[in-house]
Amino acid sequence: KAGVTQTPRYLIKTRGQQVTLSCSPISGHRSVSWYQQTPGQGLQFLFEYFSETQRNKGNFPGRFSGRQFSNSRSEMNVSTLELGDSALYLCASSSGTGALTEAFFGQGTRLTVV
Amino acid sequence: AQSVTQLDSQVPVFEEAPVELRCNYSSSVSVYLFWYVQYPNQGLQLLLKYLSGSTLVKGINGFEAEFNKSQTSFHLRKPSVHISDTAEYFCAVSEAGGGNKLTFGTGTQLKVEL
């Protein structure tokens, strides 16, 4: 079956703009989590959605938001981009919620803010 | 809150030699432990996980890890590495009842040399 699909793979934006990233989970998976990966901060949890509800949220400013649709596809949005938002954004999908279900990661969207 | 420490940022090793990547964690509640591998420009792939039971866990590609509760460690080992094992390895923890949120260490770059 198809894996986790993240679009676009690469993105270049200007400071102050906003951006929307998309994640299509594995068919049948209802949980989607987002992570930011940077050389300085490593992998940091952004938020988790399960059945269209945000279940968990990391320590990021309100400029970072997300949502999940009825087909489990998820989007995350970053408004008023800053240079420090340049990162690889990873999405992970799971069939359920909790450590008993494995998280499958997409290849990520590399965002560059100039 | 939980945290993960990977003391070695880089580990060089010759092909066919054994390797150990160290991971220590901190948490006030029960945890589940994971090791992920990331190849260049790729997402994360699960190598193995510890949920409960036997403290020695075997994973894919010949890797294994041992959970040591008294030392709060979960070190990853492989008896004989191959060039193709060159990648970045991340230790991660999730807390019981914490949903799918993973807290990652800063990663260890394993470089296998001929």
Side-chain angles (χ1 to χ4, degrees), chain B residues 29-66:
Chain B
V29 300
S30 295
V31 296
Y32 306 114
L33 296 154
F34 306 81
W35 274 99
Y36 284 87
V37 61
Q38 186 177 35
Y39 299 100
N41 298 315
Q42 298 293 317
L44 300 171
Q45 181 183 12
L46 180 67
L47 279 175
L48 48 79
K49 61 183 176 183
Y50 172 80
L51 302 180
S52 65
S54 174
T55 57
L56 183 62
V57 180
K58 293 191 183 296
I60 62 171
N61 301 341
F63 284 95
E64 63 181 33
E66 185 152 21

Side-chain angles (χ1 to χ4, degrees), chain A residues 95-112:
Chain A
S95 58
T97 184
L100 294 178
T101 59
E102 180 177 343
F104 293 86
F105 283 81
Q107 291 185 300
T109 294
R110 185 164 296 281
L111 171 65
T112 301

Side-chain angles (χ1 to χ4, degrees), chain A residues 27-73:
Chain A
S27 178
H29 284 194
R30 296 164 64 190
S31 170
V32 172
S33 300
W34 289 89
Y35 293 84
Q36 181 196 65
Q37 185 177 21
T38 60
Q41 299 297 317
L43 280 153
Q44 293 188 288
F45 172 79
L46 280 156
F47 24 66
E48 174 194 355
Y49 286 88
F50 182 80
S51 294
E52 301 179 65
T53 302
Q54 188 179 88
R55 296 289 297 267
N56 223 332
K57 190 176 189 303
N59 295 324
F60 278 82
R63 299 186 297 105
F64 291 81
S65 63
R67 59 178 175 169
Q68 187 179 34
F69 302 96
S70 58
N71 62 358
S72 294
R73 189 178 70 88

